[in-house]
Structure formats: C-alpha cells, structure tokens
Amino acid sequence: ADTTIFLGLPKTGFFIEDGWSCVGKLRFVNFGLDLDYIQHANTDFVLLSKENEAPLLPRIHRSRHKYSAGYVVGLSGSKLYSGAPILSGWSCLRSGAGIVRIFHPEDAVLAHQPYELIKEAYKEGEEDRILKTMNTASSVFMGPGTGTQAYTKRLLLRACRELDVPCVLDADALNIIAAEKNAKLP
C-alpha cells in the first residue's frame, strides 16, 4: 500500500512479521473516539514520529561547538568490512555528536571516507593507547565490522572490562561476548 489509514491507534499487525512491508505511509483518522481514550490507552508499542521524538532530543544551543556536543569513539572495521565503521560513525555525527573517532585495524582502508570522521589505524600492542582514548569519550561503540579474529577478541573483551563510559555493543562485539562465558559488560 502507498498509504494505510488507521482509526484511533496504529494496529500491532502493521509492525510484526511482514506487516511493515505491506503498509504504506500511516495516516491517522479520527472516527469519533474521544482522544482522551487514545492518550490513556495501555499499549505495548510506541510509534515514533517527529512529534513524539523531538522532545526526547537534546536542545541544540546556537553557540554550541563540536567540543560541547559529545565525543564518540568507535572500535570498528576490518580489512573485509570497511563500510560498517563509516556507517556507524556517520550515524553518530548525524545524531548530534561533535567529534567521532574510529579506531580500526591498520589493514582496513578508511582513508577515502568522510573527512568529518577521525580515522585512526591501530596495530597489535596499542591496547593501552586505545583504551585510554576510549575512556576520555562521552560514549563508545564497538563491534560493527570488526570480525572475530583473536586479536580483536582480546582487545574488545579487555575494553569491556576497563571502560568507564556508556557503550553500545553491536554486530561482532555481540558475537564475541556471546561466545565468552565470563565476559564483563561495560
């Protein structure tokens, strides 16, 4: 469908299994139900929209600069997967981070990627430098495109033990932690 009209509230079936592939742009139609009932409905899901997302985002001050907008450090990428750190880093910038630094193995080629991202290659033995930098960030992400090779596994598990900042674990970081019985979550 190009457009799907819903009465009152969107239906759960729109969003489960293949439902989302079948509905179009959602359009609310008031069929006479008092809006007070809709506002107090006990729901299992919340449909995000510009109207209900905007209050959740931090207010951007006109005098803000990159150093006051948040510093994100990523541990991401590998020789085979150079797109994942770029997508992750770009997402951080698009959501409001002021500075994004991505640590990637030296055999991952990221030089031709967006200038706005700070791309820093690392090699085995530089764990202390990486972890020190990660702990100066506002937040960290680890895992997109890292692969699960032995060195990456050791670095990621150590980072999980030693990080003192909010962290998002994704992709291969989740695979590494799932395979490790005593992994500590940051």
Side-chain angles (χ1 to χ4, degrees):
D2 293 323
T3 302
T4 300
I5 296 171
F6 64 89
L7 306 175
L9 291 168
K11 307 310 175 238
T12 303
F14 293 174
F15 310 104
I16 58 175
E17 295 184 16
D18 201 32
W20 195 237
S21 299
C22 299
V23 299
K25 182 176 178 178
L26 295 178
R27 188 168 149 238
F28 165 76
V29 171
N30 184 346
F31 66 103
L33 180 65
D34 189 323
L35 292 179
D36 193 46
Y37 289 113
I38 293 173
Q39 291 174 344
H40 291 95
N42 185 11
T43 61
D44 294 324
F45 306 98
V46 175
L47 177 63
L48 296 177
S49 66
K50 287 181 183 178
E51 292 77 26
N52 64 17
E53 287 176 20
L56 300 174
L57 297 174
R59 187 167 171 256
I60 297 176
H61 300 281
R62 292 175 67 175
S63 60
R64 183 177 89 161
H65 53 81
K66 67 182 177 183
Y67 295 106
S68 65
Y71 174 35
V72 178
V73 174
L75 181 61
S76 184
S78 63
K79 183 177 182 178
L80 293 176
Y81 304 109
S82 61
I86 301 307
L87 290 172
S88 301
W90 199 244
S91 296
C92 293
L93 288 172
R94 296 275 310 202
S95 63
I99 302 171
V100 178
R101 177 183 308 272
I102 298 173
F103 283 107
H104 61 86
E106 60 185 351
D107 63 351
V109 180
L110 304 182
H112 64 284
Q113 301 301 339
Y115 296 121
E116 295 87 353
L117 299 173
I118 300 168
K119 298 160 292 284
E120 194 166 334
Y122 67 84
K123 56 187 172 198
E124 201 163 340
E126 296 185 308
E127 298 87 355
D128 291 340
R129 177 180 70 87
I130 294 168
L131 293 170
K132 182 179 178 182
T133 303
M134 291 173 108
N135 272 317
T136 65
S138 307
S139 62
V140 168
F141 68 86
M142 298 190 294
T146 58
T148 56
Q149 57 273 20
Y151 175 69
T152 300
K153 180 179 177 180
R154 285 192 309 275
L155 175 58
L156 192 133
L157 290 171
R158 180 176 169 197
C160 285
R161 288 190 307 271
E162 297 181 21
L163 278 177
D164 292 321
V165 297
C167 181
V168 173
L169 299 171
D170 187 35
D172 287 323
L174 296 173
N175 293 327
I176 289 169
I177 287 173
E180 187 71 22
K181 291 183 181 182
N182 298 319
K184 181 185 180 290
L185 294 176

